[in-house]
Amino acid sequence: MNYKIGESVATRQAYGDALVEYGNDPRIVVMDADLSKSTKTDGFKVTYPDRFINTGIAEGNMMATAAGLSTCGKIVFASSFAMFAAGRAFEQIRNSIGYPHLNVKIGATHAGISVGEDGASHQCLEDIGIMRTIPGMVILNPADAVESNLAVKAAIDYDGPVYLRFGRLAVPTIFDENYKFEIGKGIQLKDGSDVTLIGTGLLVPACTEAAEILAGEGINARVINMATIKPIDKDIIIKAAKETGAIVTAEEHNVIGGLGSAVAEVLVENAPVPMKRVGTQDVFGRSGKPYPLLEMYGLDAKTIAAKAKEAIAMK
Amino acid sequence: MDSNEIKDLQIHAAHVRKMALEAVHAAGAGHPGGSLSVADILTYLYFKEMNVDPKDAKNPDRDRFVLSKGHCSPALYGILAERGFIPKEDIKGFRSIDSYLQGHPDMKKVNGVDMSTGSLGQGISCANGMALAGKLDGKSYRVYTALGDGEIEEGEVWEAAMFAAHYKLDNLTAFLDYNGLQIDGEITKVMNSTPIDKKFEAFNWHVIRIDAHDFNQIEAAVNEAKQTKGKPTLIMAKSVKGKGVSFMEGQAAWHGTAPNDEQYAQAISELDAYIDSLGGDK
């Protein structure tokens, strides 16, 4: 792994790089459904051709085949776009991977609206919600290349199904090599006392930027990076609720079912405080350039800062 | 096989059928028709063919079986009990809340179940994965799966068929339990998938047509599959739904219906008479 802070790298690229980096483990098999150039598994294909399996455009078959491979000791990374992994192949993931709790890792790239020009048919804004309902499924949504690399490593070391969510868009690298990643642990990036901004994926830097906007208005915001959506880090959420009294979540996903829902579930049962959810507001996306789309759908620092003030006002 | 070997298999198969019926009767629910039609295939595999050991059911070098038509769990539990993987007395717990014998096979709960199945179309993909792992690891184990003839209406079966041929999974043998009936009626009337053999041949499979209730034919087909290199084999086994119980044979109504006490008693007495006629112990 060799990413510099500030360097622009898509998390899907980091996924592909990590598969090559850790791929000398003979147990690892990488599968793809005719999208290896886009999911970036093509690097593994070149380096370890014997352990790269293209299933053609047949995602359901890929997931169940991955399940069979895993029963024979393989650690399988089954890769496709989030839409076709979590969406089309949901039932294979649920019944053949989730139910027997098999050691399959689902590498889902092109998640979220930042897919851009391909439009709503390919912009998966439902996958976290879908995957979250499967018992025992771990869901990782890394924010940058470094975290993506460490998430792949953690997935290899973890025995059980993991859904890894990556983006198409090149995003700034925000962590250095000393960054410690642990499944199930949120990371506090900035302390604060007035409100907590909990971000995941490419909205983590937006949360940091929102905290700066708020600081300019005299509001001291805490920022948490929640790379693991499931199992959610309850402790860090409850602590934030008790210490800051207001929460904003930010994710590139429908506000129904994703990080916002997961955090809300923890809050209502443990430490109810005012909360606002930044995400797509139960609508489909559309074609366009990624950043203008993110702005159009309110997935940016400006919106997060505005929602923070709304949450604070509800205290 | 000599006639004594065949007789032994026939007796085992009758016991598998009895236990399948015991399970469904005790549960008051389940799938007797397809369980009875696939019973001889399972009996051949577990008693004559597969390298499996009830005391070492997870051995990485073992042969594997995936019941892709997972609703026929009563037959699978029957053969696992007959072969010593699970206690015979557990069969009556089938589908009950305090039993590990789920309505559809659960690999995490049942000794000897190689894959959790039940959602049609997925088992053959899982079997492909096992066969592919064998190829990757240079292992000589073989993988068997049993498909229902209704099941092959699932698109995933054909994705899997393409895959198995593309990756030359000649260590995979799929049985088609070709009893001609699915829940809603005859397969040719519900959704005509025929000619099934020609479809698999067009998908670059080796296809063998047999009578699913003739052990000599099953043996010859399995051996032919083992000799077939470079492609997977489909054994299209023409079977009788409800085989072995006179009033269940050829009746779609017995796809997913449990016999009542009277029907159960009659079915058991027919199978016992059959076992008697072969000189076996009931």
Side-chain angles (χ1 to χ4, degrees), chain A residues 15-16 19 30-32 36 39-45 52 79:
Chain A
Y15 169 58
L19 292 176
V30 174
M31 305 185 81
D32 207 300
S36 64
T39 62
K40 299 300 173 190
T41 61
D42 54 350
F44 186 93
K45 175 165 69 175
F52 176 82
S79 318

Side-chain angles (χ1 to χ4, degrees), chain B residues 187-221:
Chain B
I187 63 159
T188 51
K189 294 204 173 127
V190 175
M191 179 47 60
N192 191 352
S193 53
T194 61
I196 299 167
D197 46 358
K198 291 198 171 63
K199 285 194 173 77
F200 273 91
E201 279 165 351
F203 275 67
N204 293 322
W205 283 55
H206 180 58
V207 177
I208 306 168
R209 299 151 191 83
I210 63 163
D211 175 345
H213 308 301
D214 181 326
F215 285 109
N216 277 323
Q217 290 190 35
I218 297 172
E219 178 178 57

Side-chain angles (χ1 to χ4, degrees), chain A residues 53-55 61 65, chain B residues 124-125 127-129 131-132 135 156-174 199-207 228-234:
Chain A
I53 304 297
N54 204 327
T55 63
N61 180 50
T65 307
Chain B
I124 183 174
S125 299
N128 278 346
L132 181 63
K135 293 277 182 192
E156 185 177 349
V157 169
W158 302 100
E159 296 179 1
M162 250 186 295
F163 183 97
H166 183 85
Y167 285 99
K168 299 182 167 50
L169 300 180
D170 52 17
N171 53 348
L172 175 82
T173 303
K199 285 194 173 77
F200 273 91
E201 279 165 351
F203 275 67
N204 293 322
W205 283 55
H206 180 58
V207 177
T228 302
K229 299 300 173 199
K231 50 169 70 174
T233 294
L234 178 82

Side-chain angles (χ1 to χ4, degrees), chain B residues 11-112:
Chain B
I11 293 165
H12 283 307
H15 283 296
V16 170
R17 288 188 165 94
K18 280 177 68 178
M19 282 189 275
L21 291 168
E22 180 189 356
V24 174
H25 176 251
H31 297 82
S35 294
L36 298 180
S37 64
V38 80
D40 295 319
I41 291 165
L42 294 181
T43 301
Y44 180 80
L45 288 176
Y46 279 85
F47 275 94
K48 193 79 169 67
E49 182 55 41
M50 292 202 304
N51 169 33
V52 290
D53 178 359
K55 291 187 188 65
D56 187 17
K58 295 282 177 207
N59 189 312
D61 295 324
R62 74 190 185 280
D63 292 332
R64 286 152 171 87
F65 175 75
V66 178
L67 185 67
S68 202
K69 44 176 274 175
H71 54 283
C72 295
S73 53
L76 183 61
Y77 298 152
I79 192 69
L80 290 176
E82 184 70 4
R83 186 70 171 76
F85 284 88
I86 58 175
K88 288 180 180 174
E89 56 268 29
D90 292 355
I91 289 290
K92 59 182 177 300
F94 177 57
R95 284 181 176 238
S96 68
I97 199 165
D98 52 358
S99 170
Y100 60 96
L101 297 178
Q102 303 298 295
H104 296 82
D106 181 343
M107 64 185 288
K108 293 287 177 182
K109 292 190 171 76
V110 187
N111 188 46

Side-chain angles (χ1 to χ4, degrees), chain A residues 101-183:
Chain A
H101 201 72
L102 292 175
N103 201 17
V104 176
K105 321 302 171 186
I106 298 145
T109 68
H110 294 64
I113 205 159
S114 60
V115 162
E117 292 84 343
D118 271 354
S121 62
H122 286 54
Q123 293 163 339
C124 193
L125 298 164
E126 304 88 358
D127 54 328
I128 295 174
I130 295 167
M131 287 295 112
R132 221 159 61 81
T133 58
I134 300 175
M137 180 65 71
V138 168
I139 303 171
L140 306 179
N141 186 32
D144 78 343
V146 170
E147 193 168 57
S148 297
N149 178 292
L150 297 173
V152 170
K153 181 71 171 68
I156 293 168
D157 294 340
Y158 171 83
D159 185 10
V162 180
Y163 182 82
L164 297 123
R165 187 180 204 242
F166 303 109
R168 171 177 181 262
L169 180 66
V171 294
T173 301
I174 55 176
F175 300 116
D176 64 24
E177 286 180 13
N178 298 318
Y179 179 69
K180 295 275 182 283
F181 178 84
E182 193 182 336
I183 290 174

Side-chain angles (χ1 to χ4, degrees), chain A residues 148-225:
Chain A
S148 297
N149 178 292
L150 297 173
V152 170
K153 181 71 171 68
I156 293 168
D157 294 340
Y158 171 83
D159 185 10
V162 180
Y163 182 82
L164 297 123
R165 187 180 204 242
F166 303 109
R168 171 177 181 262
L169 180 66
V171 294
T173 301
I174 55 176
F175 300 116
D176 64 24
E177 286 180 13
N178 298 318
Y179 179 69
K180 295 275 182 283
F181 178 84
E182 193 182 336
I183 290 174
K185 290 285 178 210
I187 302 274
Q188 185 174 305
L189 302 180
K190 175 189 172 300
D191 198 6
S193 52
D194 298 328
V195 62
T196 300
L197 315 177
I198 305 178
T200 191
L202 66 62
L203 286 183
V204 172
C207 285
T208 304
E209 195 187 330
E212 285 163 15
I213 295 170
L214 292 166
E217 299 177 33
I219 297 167
N220 187 9
R222 180 178 295 187
V223 177
I224 290 170
N225 169 28

